[in-house]
Amino acid sequence: MEIHVEPCCPGLLLLCGVPFRQGLVPAGGGLQALDTAGQALPLWWTQRASWPDGSLKWVFAHVRLSADSHTVRLLPHDRGPGSEPAGVELEQSDAATTRLQVDGLCFTATAAVWEVRSDRGAQVSWRLAVETAPQQEHGGAYTLEVVEASPLAPLLRLRQTAAQGIRFDHLLRLDPANASVEWQQRSSFLGPEPCSLRHLGTRVALGPEAAEWRFAGAPAPRASLLLPRPGRMVVDGQAEQAGRPPVLLRSEHGSIELVKGWQRAPCGVRLEEGAVAVDFY
């Protein structure tokens, strides 16, 4: 199987599903990933389906790209007993704290806050704030599970199990090679009574050292950017105007980008002392 990658960006992660014809990768066999020059690439994969003879039919793979990954080849490889590569596991330090550590990146979940630390010195913590009309309880305690146990970029799920009120489901992709976290969330309103979402946001605390954050793109606000509806923006509290700027902040330590689906609005970002306030709705 050959996968063509353009443009080729070294260090980025390729996520893909890969089919195999019957018998090509026998039961107990493994896989290897090679770049254009035939050099091995970091690979993690998990079996999603098999043929009647036990051979691989469909796998989901993570591949870390190199500078010469214009073509990525996934080939059979004899691994011996235990075909799938080892994955990461959660650590329960106490009844209220769960962590996952992978290659210099550590995610910690407690009842009060979620936090990611990098051995490069970066640190970020956050938690949701919710306001509805009428006000409803939301979800209760979170459970943490590993959805994709890849040491290259594990995917975690934080989910609530409440049967009434508002329930949140969060997916977090940790990328230790790039010291990054991708956070997606989904909210469900459960119950027979009408309920309106008034505000959904978070305050992202950044540390341990204070950083000077700046908006990227044009225009470049000094303190706040609000997208009240599709195609409109409010810069630093001034008059509303037409525009579709990226919601992107950068500092010497990293960047924060808000990617909002469904017409990219409403949402907003405000700079605060030692933190960034993000309004999803």
Side-chain angles (χ1 to χ4, degrees):
M1 168 65 71
E2 290 191 353
I3 303 170
H4 299 281
V5 181
E6 293 293 343
C8 178
C9 300
L12 291 187
L13 187 71
L14 173 65
L15 309 178
C16 57
V18 183
F20 293 97
R21 61 176 172 81
Q22 186 170 353
L24 179 63
V25 185
L31 298 171
Q32 61 178 339
L34 303 178
D35 65 13
T36 308
Q39 298 299 308
L41 295 170
L43 167 69
W44 174 87
W45 60 274
T46 184
Q47 181 174 328
R48 295 295 175 87
S50 59
W51 291 100
D53 63 358
S55 60
L56 292 185
K57 182 177 184 180
W58 186 267
V59 303
F60 186 68
H62 294 184
V63 183
R64 184 71 65 186
L65 300 180
S66 69
D68 203 5
S69 295
H70 299 282
T71 299
V72 176
R73 291 184 294 159
L74 286 180
L75 303 173
H77 179 64
D78 183 14
R79 291 178 50 91
S83 58
E84 294 189 42
V88 299
E89 296 182 355
L90 296 174
E91 303 172 12
Q92 193 78 36
S93 57
D94 57 55
T97 305
T98 307
R99 11 186 100 77
L100 186 140
Q101 299 191 59
V102 52
D103 196 19
L105 208 61
C106 178
F107 173 77
T108 303
T110 69
V113 71
W114 305 331
E115 180 182 82
V116 176
R117 291 175 179 264
S118 166
D119 60 4
R120 304 178 190 178
Q123 174 183 334
V124 59
S125 59
W126 72 99
R127 191 66 182 212
L128 276 182
V130 185
E131 180 184 346
T132 61
Q135 187 63 30
Q136 291 194 15
E137 294 295 326
H138 62 92
Y142 283 93
T143 60
L144 178 61
E145 63 178 299
V146 179
V147 180
E148 295 169 10
S150 166
L152 301 183
L155 180 64
L156 309 180
R157 174 180 286 158
L158 280 152
R159 63 191 311 180
Q160 297 172 312
T161 57
Q164 294 292 327
I166 308 171
R167 185 171 67 199
F168 289 97
D169 196 348
H170 308 270
L171 290 174
L172 297 104
R173 173 82 66 188
L174 308 183
D175 187 345
N178 294 295
S180 68
V181 182
E182 180 182 317
W183 175 27
Q184 302 179 49
Q185 63 179 357
R186 179 179 63 188
S187 55
S188 301
F189 292 78
L190 309 172
E193 300 300 325
C195 179
S196 299
L197 180 63
R198 301 290 298 274
H199 175 252
L200 178 63
T202 190
R203 186 176 186 271
V204 181
L206 307 155
E209 298 179 358
E212 184 179 355
W213 289 86
R214 295 186 177 90
F215 283 89
R222 293 187 304 273
S224 66
L225 175 63
L226 172 66
L227 307 182
R229 57 185 186 274
R232 306 294 293 180
M233 65 181 181
V234 176
V235 178
D236 291 328
Q238 302 300 311
E240 182 178 314
Q241 57 184 300
R244 292 178 175 270
V247 186
L248 175 63
L249 297 102
R250 289 199 174 100
S251 79
E252 63 271 27
H253 299 308
S255 62
I256 298 175
E257 183 177 10
L258 174 58
V259 181
K260 185 177 176 69
W262 196 75
Q263 300 181 325
R264 298 175 58 187
C267 64
V269 176
R270 304 182 309 280
L271 296 180
E272 298 180 349
E273 185 176 356
V276 177
V278 181
D279 297 320
F280 301 111
Y281 188 84

